[in-house]
Amino acid sequence: MASIMIKKAGEGLVSQAHRNADVGPTSGSSVVYEIQNVPGDVTVDDVIAAFKTFKPADKVYEIDWSALSK
């Protein structure tokens, strides 16, 4: 199982974040999320696609893959 860091920009763009990025709001309008427990056969593009339709709770920046893959 892996963790993948993704960033959601204020304009709505979702992309991969640097693996050493801190989770939470950035100094700009972006927010970094850590998607945890991602199976090895799931790509970063799969995670980004799943996140685009997911509405995270306020101030929750660490999300389990099982919540995205429902």
Side-chain angles (χ1 to χ4, degrees), residues 6-65:
I6 59 172
K7 176 173 61 175
K8 182 173 183 181
E11 307 82 40
L13 176 70
V14 180
S15 60
Q16 185 173 11
H18 191 275
R19 61 187 166 109
N20 292 334
D22 292 327
V23 297
T26 65
S27 58
S29 63
S30 299
V31 180
V32 176
Y33 295 92
E34 179 179 9
I35 311 304
Q36 301 172 334
N37 300 318
V38 179
D41 62 334
V42 176
T43 67
V44 172
D45 291 335
D46 294 336
V47 173
I48 290 172
F51 188 81
K52 286 181 179 180
T53 61
F54 180 76
K55 174 73 171 111
D58 287 341
K59 299 187 180 187
V60 174
Y61 307 114
E62 296 174 352
I63 302 165
D64 195 86
W65 169 248

